Amino acid sequence: DQQVKQNSPSLSVQEGRISILNCDYTNSMFDYFLWYKKYPAEGPTFLISISSIKDKNEDGRFTVFLNKSAKHLSLHIVPSQPGDSAVYFCAANTETSGSRLTFGEGTQLTVNP
Amino acid sequence: ETGVTQSPTHLIKTRGQQVTLRCSSQSGHNTVSWYQQALGQGPQFIFQYYREEENGRGNFPPRFSGLQFPNYSSELNVNALELDDSALYLCASSHDRRVNTEAFFGQGTRLTVV
């Protein structure tokens, strides 16, 4: 049972344009949603999160949008930079699961100069 | 302040063998979680330790076991290795086990079972 799904394995965008990464979930009990970025040969690093009581959170070039009725969230990167090229994981957890994370499959973002 | 470090970075084992992977938590962190990331998949939660006690387990068989030590470092042990155990094993530490606590990941151990 894949509770968090990222249906796009890869995304390619031009430098300076917007990158939109999508994530869907099935568990309505999720309380927090997080995005992690992973470079090859490194562990995932935290990027941005959003509480289930909010619909938007912004941090510099990164904005996460949450649509609870659709059980969908997205990460917007504006403007995209070549250094943003990495695998992006969507993750979620609940108050009862604490810091244990349920991850999606990941999306490989490539930003072309 | 040192980050999360895992050892070894790579290893190759034969089916049926046993393996121990190690994780050194970030300073001040009392919670460690282990994840298995198969090729092309997202990390899957194996188990979590909080102050040396197991604090939740994912859908993994009992041959996956762990320990957390008084200094909060941790081990993942896998017995009777199977070919499907080949994966990247990630350790993550956090200063608390609550839901909005950031988890810091190590670089992972790439295990290949032949």
Side-chain angles (χ1 to χ4, degrees):
Chain A
D1 176 27
Q2 187 69 25
Q3 297 186 55
V4 177
K5 282 196 69 63
Q6 296 175 255
N7 291 313
S8 297
S10 63
L11 174 68
S12 183
V13 301
Q14 286 300 119
E15 181 178 6
R17 306 294 290 269
I18 184 171
S19 296
I20 300 176
L21 296 100
N22 293 302
C23 177
D24 296 296
Y25 63 95
T26 57
N27 186 350
S28 58
M29 300 300 291
F30 284 138
D31 294 300
Y32 278 88
F33 301 90
L34 308 91
W35 286 93
Y36 278 79
K37 178 169 73 172
K38 186 179 186 302
Y39 294 117
E42 295 183 12
T45 55
F46 171 76
L47 194 58
I48 191 170
S49 65
I50 187 168
S51 164
S52 62
I53 62 173
K54 298 191 174 182
D55 55 17
K56 178 182 174 181
N57 187 28
E58 191 171 354
D59 183 2
R61 298 187 295 114
F62 303 92
T63 303
V64 56
F65 296 91
L66 175 62
N67 182 334
K68 284 190 69 176
S69 61
K71 293 190 175 68
H72 177 83
L73 66 157
S74 59
L75 174 67
H76 293 209
I77 306 173
V78 182
S80 300
Q81 300 173 354
D84 296 329
S85 296
V87 176
Y88 288 79
F89 291 102
C90 171
N93 53 10
T94 67
E95 289 285 347
T96 52
S97 70
S99 56
R100 291 167 269 161
L101 299 167
T102 300
F103 283 89
E105 304 93 328
T107 297
Q108 171 69 59
L109 172 66
T110 302
V111 181
N112 301 302
Chain B
E1 178 178 281
T2 58
V4 180
T5 56
Q6 293 185 241
S7 63
T9 54
H10 296 82
L11 78 164
I12 300 174
K13 288 287 190 177
T14 303
R15 187 172 50 184
Q17 284 188 315
Q18 178 266 344
V19 69
T20 298
L21 310 181
R22 294 179 174 83
C23 173
S24 179
S25 304
Q26 189 159 317
S27 177
H29 287 187
N30 58 25
T31 304
V32 171
S33 302
W34 285 91
Y35 294 84
Q36 179 196 66
Q37 185 183 3
L39 198 61
Q41 300 295 317
Q44 299 291 312
F45 173 73
I46 303 174
F47 44 58
Q48 182 182 80
Y49 280 83
Y50 171 70
R51 294 187 174 183
E52 302 178 60
E53 297 284 332
E54 186 176 291
N55 180 52
R57 188 179 182 91
N59 189 26
F60 280 82
R63 58 190 186 83
F64 286 77
S65 63
L67 279 175
Q68 187 180 30
F69 300 100
N71 66 353
Y72 300 140
S73 65
S74 178
E75 285 182 357
L76 164 65
N77 298 290
V78 187
N79 293 321
L81 283 166
E82 302 176 359
L83 297 179
D84 285 349
D85 296 333
S86 296
L88 179 69
Y89 288 85
L90 294 163
C91 162
S93 76
S94 53
H95 70 80
D96 198 274
R97 58 180 172 173
R98 288 176 296 179
V99 66
N100 59 346
T101 305
E102 183 177 345
F104 294 82
F105 283 83
Q107 82 283 9
T109 294
R110 173 72 63 187
L111 171 65
T112 302
V113 182
V114 297

